[in-house]
Amino acid sequence: MRVDNRFAIEWSGLGFVAALATVITLTLSAPAPAANSSENTASNQAAANAVLAHQLLDLSNFKPLLASWRETLAQSADYGQNELDKQTRARFASCWRSAVLKSFDTNAAQQKLAQHFAERLKTEELKQLIALRQSPLGEKISKTEQSFYSRAKDTEKSVAWMIEASARLEEDPKRKALIEAIAQLSGGTKALTDALTNISVGVSVGAESAKPAGQQRNSPEEIVAIVEQQSGQLWQHLDAVVVTQNEMLYEHLSLADLGKHKAFLESKLGRRQTEATLDAFNRLMRDEALAIGARFANEWRSQDL
């Protein structure tokens, strides 16, 4: 059930950005089913919010983000499987990739997120956040995110890019201080820890299906408990990776722009956004990981028939 450090380095370029790339604040309000005039009004408002939520997700580049998640998940089966022979590893990778591609529907995933945001965000908050995304700084952030997703697709070049970004920060103390603050305020380490934990859960649930008949198998609930217990130890040295990834993500922003972004993250709105968005995305990806693990079991058993 262990995912090695190479996975943490290679995968982090796409995964942890989920918590950094979206300027969203969640509230605790949720509409009830329509039954009378006031509830009908609430239902109509929820429908309007759903449209705004989709617009906000589109402006926040969630389509390429989820597509990156899907492809990264599909490539993650070989990590932690070093004890298997070559033939079994190849079968595991094939079944895992098939399970991911069949189970992870990016449109359905975005729909779930949009529904979640529509239920928990007030109309004015959605409009305000959309306006932020359409502001000059918001447009700059969107462009740098798009550039990041495009460049991060090449794993080998991403490693060289990380080295360059790290060296650039060491040469610019002011920029490094801002990037470190943004990384801390946006919860980057927690996002990456949660993401890697979810991948480990999914791969581990699937790996249980590969055990020989008669060998004791852990339930999904037991696997989640084991992986979460280990996660604090597995990913305790990720801060430096997260800071470097933030520099890669925001490399086209000036010190002034970084200062404005930091100020937002420090605000009450920014802090609520960070906490709620990390939780929302983590819950979505945990559901996806468990579903992929279950699908893997079916793929594995079908090859035995």
Side-chain angles (χ1 to χ4, degrees):
M1 295 185 189
R2 189 182 180 91
V3 183
D4 63 32
N5 290 333
R6 181 167 61 96
F7 177 76
I9 297 299
E10 295 182 359
W11 182 87
S12 62
L14 298 175
F16 96 101
V17 182
L20 307 176
T22 311
V23 183
I24 293 175
T25 304
L26 303 182
T27 66
L28 298 178
S29 61
N36 54 42
S37 59
S38 62
E39 290 174 338
N40 281 329
T41 300
S43 179
N44 292 337
Q45 193 63 65
N49 279 7
V51 175
L52 292 172
H54 275 290
Q55 183 181 356
L56 181 59
L57 290 178
D58 286 341
L59 288 170
S60 302
N61 294 304
F62 256 80
K63 287 184 178 178
L65 169 63
L66 291 171
S68 296
W69 257 93
R70 186 172 185 259
E71 182 56 32
T72 303
L73 282 167
Q75 297 177 18
S76 65
D78 62 322
Y79 298 98
Q81 304 303 321
N82 295 322
E83 72 279 5
L84 303 177
D85 61 72
K86 184 176 180 179
Q87 183 176 357
T88 304
R89 283 171 60 88
R91 178 185 174 187
F92 192 100
S94 174
C95 289
W96 177 260
R97 183 173 183 83
S98 178
V100 171
L101 298 182
K102 290 179 180 179
S103 180
F104 196 147
D105 184 324
T106 56
N107 290 328
Q110 178 156 329
Q111 181 65 36
K112 291 177 183 177
L113 287 172
Q115 181 180 355
H116 179 77
F117 299 149
E119 291 174 349
R120 294 180 179 270
L121 281 166
K122 297 177 181 178
T123 303
E124 288 307 311
E125 289 176 320
L126 285 164
K127 290 180 178 180
Q128 192 175 27
L129 292 167
I130 288 171
L132 284 172
R133 271 286 169 171
Q134 292 175 330
S135 70
L137 178 57
E139 290 178 351
K140 286 182 182 180
I141 290 176
S142 291
K143 288 180 180 179
T144 196
E145 288 167 359
Q146 292 165 7
S147 174
F148 178 91
Y149 297 137
S150 178
R151 292 185 65 184
K153 291 179 181 179
D154 190 320
T155 300
E156 292 185 6
K157 290 184 179 179
S158 290
V159 174
W161 185 18
M162 288 181 69
I163 294 173
E164 293 173 3
S166 179
R168 187 165 59 245
L169 287 180
E170 293 304 317
E171 296 173 357
D172 191 339
K174 290 184 179 180
R175 186 176 186 87
K176 182 178 181 181
L178 282 170
I179 289 294
E180 287 178 338
I182 289 172
Q184 190 275 325
L185 289 165
S186 60
T189 298
K190 183 182 186 306
L192 182 52
T193 299
D194 289 345
L196 293 171
T197 298
N198 283 330
I199 297 298
S200 188
V201 166
V203 173
S204 298
V205 169
E208 291 296 290
S209 304
K211 286 184 176 180
Q215 191 173 121
Q216 182 178 356
R217 296 179 180 178
N218 293 309
S219 68
E221 294 76 15
E222 290 171 329
I223 290 172
V224 168
I226 292 170
V227 172
E228 288 186 340
Q229 185 179 24
Q230 296 175 344
S231 63
Q233 299 174 345
L234 290 175
W235 320 121
Q236 58 183 312
H237 302 298
L238 294 177
D239 286 347
V241 173
V242 171
V243 169
T244 301
Q245 295 287 343
N246 271 267
E247 170 60 14
M248 294 164 69
L249 178 62
Y250 297 123
E251 66 178 6
H252 298 301
L253 298 187
S254 66
L255 291 180
D257 290 334
L258 291 173
K260 292 177 183 178
H261 188 43
K262 174 177 173 286
F264 168 77
L265 292 172
E266 289 175 327
S267 69
K268 182 178 180 180
L269 181 65
R271 290 181 183 279
R272 293 207 332 260
Q273 168 259 314
T274 296
E275 181 179 353
T277 303
L278 288 174
D279 179 64
F281 202 85
N282 181 41
R283 285 189 282 113
L284 170 69
M285 300 319 298
R286 173 60 54 86
D287 290 344
E288 292 292 338
L290 291 171
I292 292 168
R295 172 77 72 165
F296 173 91
N298 293 332
E299 294 289 323
W300 186 269
R301 286 193 292 268
S302 70
Q303 292 195 9
D304 288 330
L305 298 179

